[in-house]
């Protein structure tokens, strides 16, 4: 009797202990879930104060806080890869087609099915499988100093190999993802043989050394040290809006030549494979690609929204362009071959 009582009591104690343990477990899980639902950890290659304003706006709308971890694009990708399934990241934001494709090939993104993202991001600017989505567009036209080079000579990137540009053309170096994606664009449209001829002619025109910064290169066009260059418009926009009077005056001498079609690259993002809060992460991407927030995200760096031209007066002053038909996915897929051809042609 006593024995059975004891056993029964022990049994009840055991049950109680098990109950409180599982209750504790449940409480912990619920708390974690609540926290996870309220925070989205973003690994970002961008560092603009206006981005933080947008994230704050997202928090006001949804209650989801954004924890921003900034770094250089390649470092963020490498960190995500190293952390693997244990990474706290929910969203990766990075610049350039090839980086998005590389992150996808490293299996860092999970596919997202979102009607809003499909509606707001044109099909050529997102992964068909939903792994990543463009959030801004960055156009890379030719920029000319008309005192050095007649802008009418240049209608396509192909014209950069014209002999009139000998010694007057300035380009970014081969390691620049911008140069690589530009070449991948031409390669996708024109094929290997034409691209090889184009590269040979163009590289022969380049005023060496190749530049390691678009800002310095656009300044050099304004100063007349370069007759023409290929650069992202936001660098020119930045100089035009600079507090530095010399930069501003030089930038005014630069003419944007919209070659047809114009190469377009992107800032893009995706939900990470490791995300503990993929729902919150998806909501953030939907917010950032929405027409209103998307313009803010683009505007932070004088980039173009994924749809339309936006209301940035400096970009408006450049006019509009016909964007390349080449998709961001194709740019990424062609990257390796493009770099090989650049190397063979002597692009330093
Ligand atoms: Fe840039």
């Amino acid at each position: 009797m006593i024995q059975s009582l004891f056993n029964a009591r022990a049994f009840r104690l055991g049950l109680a202990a098990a109950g409180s343990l599982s209750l504790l477990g449940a409480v912990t899980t619920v708390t974690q879930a609540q926290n996870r639902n309220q925070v989205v950890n973003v690994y970002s290659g961008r560092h603009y104060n206006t981005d933080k304003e947008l994230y704050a706006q997202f928090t006001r709308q949804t209650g989801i806080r954004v924890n921003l971890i900034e770094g250089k694009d390649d470092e963020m990708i490498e960190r995500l890869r190293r952390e693997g399934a244990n990474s706290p990241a929910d969203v990766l934001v990075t610049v350039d087609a090839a980086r998005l494709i590389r992150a996808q090939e490293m299996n860092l993104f999970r596919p997202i099915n979102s009607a809003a993202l499909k509606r707001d991001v044109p099909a050529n600017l997102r992964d068909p499988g939903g792994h990543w989505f463009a959030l801004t567009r960055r156009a890379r036209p030719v920029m000319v100093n008309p005192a050095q080079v007649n802008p009418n000579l240049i209608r396509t990137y192909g014209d950069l190999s014209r002999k009139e540009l000998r010694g007057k053309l300035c380009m970014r170096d081969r390691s620049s993802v911008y140069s690589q994606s530009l070449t991948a664009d031409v390669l996708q449209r024109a094929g290997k043989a034409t691209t090889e001829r184009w590269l040979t002619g163009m590289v022969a025109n380049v005023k060496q050394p190749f530049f390691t910064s678009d800002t310095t290169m656009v300044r050099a066009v304004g100063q007349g040290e370069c007759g023409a260059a290929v650069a992202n418009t936001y660098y020119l926009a930045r100089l035009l809006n600079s507090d530095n009077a010399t930069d501003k005056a030089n930038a005014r001498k630069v003419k944007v030549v919209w070659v047809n079609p114009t190469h377009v690259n992107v800032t893009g993002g995706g939900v990470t494979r490791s995300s503990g809060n993929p729902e919150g992460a998806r909501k953030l991407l939907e917010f950032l690609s929405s027409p209103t927030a998307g313009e803010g995200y683009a505007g932070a760096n004088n980039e173009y929204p994924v749809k339309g031209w936006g209301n940035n007066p400096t970009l408006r002053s450049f006019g509009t362009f016909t964007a390349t038909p080449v998709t961001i996915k194709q740019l990424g897929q062609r990257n390796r071959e493009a770099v090989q051809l650049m190397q063979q042609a002597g692009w330093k």
Side-chain angles (χ1 to χ4, degrees):
M1 180 68 183
I2 290 169
Q3 189 63 39
S4 65
L5 245 178
F6 180 77
N7 283 346
R9 190 163 173 257
F11 183 60
R12 273 196 303 273
L13 277 171
L15 263 185
S20 57
L21 269 179
S22 69
L23 189 66
L24 257 177
V27 166
T28 312
T29 313
V30 168
T31 313
Q32 278 171 345
Q34 281 171 344
N35 281 341
R36 292 302 304 203
N37 285 337
Q38 289 171 12
V39 180
V40 169
N41 294 314
V42 179
Y43 281 13
S44 173
R46 283 165 65 97
H47 21 256
Y48 306 116
N49 284 332
T50 34
D51 282 5
K52 288 175 188 152
E53 293 289 315
L54 276 173
Y55 294 140
Q57 199 181 319
F58 172 72
T59 303
R60 285 195 295 276
Q61 277 183 23
T62 61
I64 302 169
R65 282 186 294 118
V66 175
N67 180 30
L68 183 62
I69 297 108
E70 294 173 317
K72 289 195 173 140
D73 292 277
D74 290 331
E75 287 168 12
M76 289 282 96
I77 292 173
E78 179 50 27
R79 179 167 163 184
L80 192 53
R81 187 199 61 78
R82 206 175 50 236
E83 291 170 342
N86 298 321
S87 176
D90 296 297
V91 169
L92 172 70
V93 173
T94 191
V95 156
D96 185 65
R99 286 204 184 96
L100 288 166
I101 299 293
R102 185 167 13 118
Q104 183 181 356
E105 282 171 354
M106 292 161 103
N107 205 19
L108 302 181
F109 291 128
R110 72 167 71 192
I112 292 297
N113 192 0
S114 157
L117 283 165
K118 282 180 187 161
R119 180 192 63 216
D120 291 336
V121 184
N124 59 321
L125 302 178
R126 56 180 155 85
D127 172 43
H131 291 87
W132 47 261
F133 304 84
L135 300 169
T136 73
R137 291 184 300 157
R138 355 180 84 194
R140 197 165 179 79
V142 178
M143 296 190 191
V144 166
N145 185 323
Q148 306 289 327
V149 165
N150 175 3
N152 296 327
L153 286 174
I154 302 163
R155 309 263 182 206
T156 69
Y157 294 110
D159 290 328
L160 297 178
S161 62
R162 292 177 72 131
K163 60 180 187 315
E164 293 94 328
L165 292 180
R166 190 63 50 100
K168 293 181 176 174
L169 176 66
C170 294
M171 296 294 281
R172 283 290 301 274
D173 58 348
R174 188 178 75 230
S175 71
S176 156
V177 289
Y178 302 152
S179 299
Q180 295 174 4
S181 285
L182 169 68
T183 309
D185 190 330
V186 173
L187 177 60
Q188 177 68 27
R189 284 188 289 112
K192 192 179 171 191
T194 307
T195 303
E196 281 174 333
R197 276 199 305 278
W198 170 67
L199 283 170
T200 307
M202 191 183 64
V203 168
N205 283 344
V206 169
K207 182 178 179 184
Q208 309 260 353
F210 286 84
F211 280 75
T212 54
S213 142
D214 269 31
T215 302
T216 322
M217 189 167 63
V218 176
R219 269 198 197 113
V221 175
Q223 288 159 352
E225 288 165 27
C226 303
V230 183
N232 290 354
T233 47
Y234 58 83
Y235 291 101
L236 179 59
R238 225 182 263 166
L239 292 174
L240 284 167
N241 294 314
S242 167
D243 294 331
N244 181 313
T246 314
D247 271 347
K248 210 168 182 153
N250 273 327
R252 289 205 180 111
K253 294 175 188 157
V254 178
K255 182 176 169 49
V256 174
V257 175
W258 291 116
V259 284
N260 187 358
T262 293
H263 170 59
V264 171
N265 209 330
V266 296
T267 302
V271 178
T272 63
R273 182 71 61 182
S274 64
S275 175
N277 186 8
E279 281 292 290
R282 173 180 56 78
K283 284 179 189 159
L284 178 62
L285 288 181
E286 288 173 350
F287 170 80
L288 291 175
S289 67
S290 67
T292 318
E295 175 146 1
Y297 211 53
N301 184 35
N302 292 296
E303 293 174 62
Y304 295 91
V306 285
K307 266 186 189 167
W309 306 106
N311 293 314
N312 183 321
T314 310
L315 295 189
R316 288 240 162 214
S317 76
F318 298 155
T320 59
F321 57 90
T322 303
T324 179
V326 177
T327 69
I328 297 304
K329 185 176 179 179
Q330 287 167 331
L331 290 181
Q333 288 171 331
R334 288 285 195 166
N335 179 272
R336 197 165 301 167
E337 193 184 353
V339 174
Q340 271 170 13
L341 296 181
M342 290 163 82
Q343 193 164 9
Q344 281 165 27
W347 192 322
K348 300 267 168 32

